[in-house]
Amino acid sequence: SSGMHQTKDRGGGRASAKMPPNFSAGSPGQGAPDGCFPSALTADATLPSQPGFSFRKLWAFTGPGFLMSIAFLDPGNIESDLQCGAVAGFKLLWVLLWATILGLLCQRLAIRLGVVTGLDLGEVCYQYYPKVPRVLLWVMIEIAIIGSDMQEVIGTAIAFSLLSAGRIPLWGGVLITIIDTLFFLFLDKYGLRKLEAFFGLLITIMAVTFGYEYVVVQPAQTEVLKGIFFPYCRGCGREELLQAVGIVGAIIMPHNIYLHSSLVKTREVTRSQRQEVSEANKYFLIESCIALFVSFLINLFVMAVFGQAFYHRTNQDVYNVCANSSVSQYAPIFPRNNETVSVDIYQGGVILGCYFGSVALYIWAIGILAAGQSSTMTGTYAGQFVMEGFLQLRWSRFARVLFTRSFAILPTVFIAAFKDVSHLTGMNDLLNVLQSILLPFAVLPVLTFTSMRPLMQEFTNGVVGKVLMILITGLICAINLYFVVIYIPTLGSIAYYIPLGFVLAGYVAFTAYLIWTCCIAHGANFLACGRHSQFSYGLPSTDPPGWAGTR
C-alpha cells in the first residue's frame, strides 16, 4: 500500500504518526521558505501517476471518520431533529442535508491539516498563537466539550428512565453515567481499533432502532424526498426559523474539528511522499463522506418520523391516545389543551409508545442510550487532544474523564433532582445554542492554517474552498447574532444586561482577533505586526524574535 498502513496501537493511546522533519521559519512574503516542508515534497514538481481505488486501503483508513460522525448523532442532535419534525414537518429536511454538507467541509479541512502537517489543530495553534489567545481558545473548546458531555449525561438519564418505566429517577440515571466512565476506560485498554469497532456498533444500534421507528411510522416517501431536495418552507414563521438555525448549531460541533485533525494521525503516512499524502487525504475524505451519509440517514429517520406522525398534533390529541394505550401511565405529562404538542427526547419516546406500542418506546430509549454513550468517548478523546495540543499537558485517560465528567454531572444532577424532565431537556436546547456560539473558535483557526501556503504547500485551500469556508463562517456568525437577538428580550431584568454586555464585548473582540490573524494567513501581510508576522511562515523550528517568554 505504498508505505501507508495502520500503526500499531498499544495500550489504547494515540498511535504515532511520522512527523514532518525540518520545519523552519521563513521570511514573510517569500512564499514557501526552504526547509519548511519535507525536501521530497519540494524537490520534484511532477506527481507520479495516482494508483487506482483500493478497498483495502479504504478499510485501513476507516475509523477516524466514524468516530468523528458520532458528534452528528448525540442526544442534542436527536432532540433538534424531532423538534424540527414536530414543528415544521418535512419542510426543513433540506436544512439537515446542507448542514451535514457544511459539517463535511469543515471536517475536510481538519483531515487535510492533520495529514499534511502531522500535527493536530491544537498543536498547530500552540505553534502560532501567543499565550493568551491560545489559552482562551483552549478554554472555549473545553466549555464545548463539557457541554457535549452534559448532553450525554442528559440522554443517558432519560434513556434509563424510559427503559425502567420511571423506576429509575432522573438523578439516578445521571449518577449511573459514572459507571460508563469506568467501562470506557476498560475498553480503552484494548486499543484504538477495538474502540473504533465499538463506535461502529453504537452507530449500528442507532441506525437499527431509529430505522425501526421509520418503518413503523411509514412517512410519505414522496414528501420526504421533496423536503430533502427542494429548499422551501412555505408558511414558515419565527418558530420554524429558530428550528432551522438550531439544526446548524446542533450538527457542527467545535471540538469535533480538533478531534478529527488528531484522529487522522493514528494512520501512518510517509509525509515525504506526495502521493501518499494525497492518497491519505482522499481515503480519509471518502470515509468521512460515508460516515456522514450514515449519520444523515439516522437524523433523517428521526426528523421524518416526527414530521409524519406528530406534525401539528395538539396536547389533547396526544393525551387521548396515551390514556387508551399500553403506556397510559405517561398520559398526565401532556396538558389537556389544544396547544401544539411540544416534544423532546423524553416526550418523543412516550409519544411513540402511545401511538405505536410500548416496543417503539423501548427501542427509542435504546437508540438514545447508544447516542448518549457514544458522546462521552468522543468528548474524552477531544479533551485529551486539545489539552495536549494547547497546553502541552498529558493527563491519563482516567484523570481526563474525571475532569470532564465532574463538570458535566454537578449541574445536571442538581437540575434532575430538584426540577422535572422538561428543565433537563430545556438544558439540552441551551447546550445546542452554546455549541453554535463556540463554533467560530474552531472554524476560524482551521481555515487560517489550511490557507497558509508556507504550511500546507500544494495542499493549501483553493479559491473555491476559501470562499465556501468564508461563507460558512459568515453563516455561523449570522446564526449566533440571531440567537443573541432573540435571547436578550427573555432576560427580563435589566441587571442581566451589564454582565451580558461584557461577555458579548469579549466574544466579539476575540472573534475579531481570530479574523485578523486569518486575514494575515490569507496574504494580507500589511496587517501583520510583531509576533503575528509568524502567520506568514511555515512551522518554526525555533522561536522567532519577540516570542521569548510567551509560551
Side-chain angles (χ1 to χ4, degrees), residues 159-168 329-330 346 361-362:
F160 279 124
S161 178
L162 290 173
L163 288 170
S164 66
R167 294 182 182 88
I168 298 178
Q329 70 271 22
Y330 290 106
Y346 180 79
L361 185 151
Y362 292 125

Side-chain angles (χ1 to χ4, degrees), residues 64-76:
F66 280 92
L67 266 69
M68 169 273 298
S69 71
I70 289 292
F72 289 68
L73 297 168
D74 68 359

Side-chain angles (χ1 to χ4, degrees), residues 411-435:
T412 311
V413 75
F414 177 82
I415 292 178
F418 297 102
K419 301 289 184 178
D420 57 21
V421 70
S422 63
H423 290 86
L424 207 58
T425 53
M427 182 189 291
N428 232 349
D429 296 335
L430 290 177
L431 292 172
N432 279 339
V433 174
L434 176 67
Q435 298 292 343

Side-chain angles (χ1 to χ4, degrees), residues 23 251 285 307 409 416 446 536:
F23 279 103
I251 285 286
L285 181 61
I409 280 185
V446 78
S536 300

Side-chain angles (χ1 to χ4, degrees), residues 31-110:
D34 293 337
C36 79
F37 217 74
S39 57
L41 273 175
T42 57
D44 184 8
T46 305
L47 277 171
S49 60
Q50 291 287 326
F53 179 82
S54 167
F55 282 102
R56 184 177 180 182
K57 287 183 181 180
L58 178 60
W59 176 249
F61 284 104
T62 296
F66 280 92
L67 266 69
M68 169 273 298
S69 71
I70 289 292
F72 289 68
L73 297 168
D74 68 359
N77 276 295
I78 302 302
E79 181 157 312
S80 177
D81 294 336
L82 64 89
Q83 288 177 343
C84 202
V87 169
F90 304 132
K91 296 177 183 178
L92 297 179
L93 289 176
W94 61 274
V95 178
L96 175 64
L97 173 64
W98 283 101
T100 305
I101 292 173
L102 295 183
L104 176 63
L105 293 175
C106 294
Q107 300 304 146
R108 173 179 171 270
L109 298 189

Side-chain angles (χ1 to χ4, degrees), residues 137-156:
L137 271 177
W138 172 71
V139 170
M140 295 298 104
I141 302 305
E142 285 290 354
I143 291 173
I145 292 169
I146 292 169
S148 176
D149 203 54
M150 289 177 69
Q151 290 183 311
E152 183 274 326
V153 171
I154 292 169
T156 301

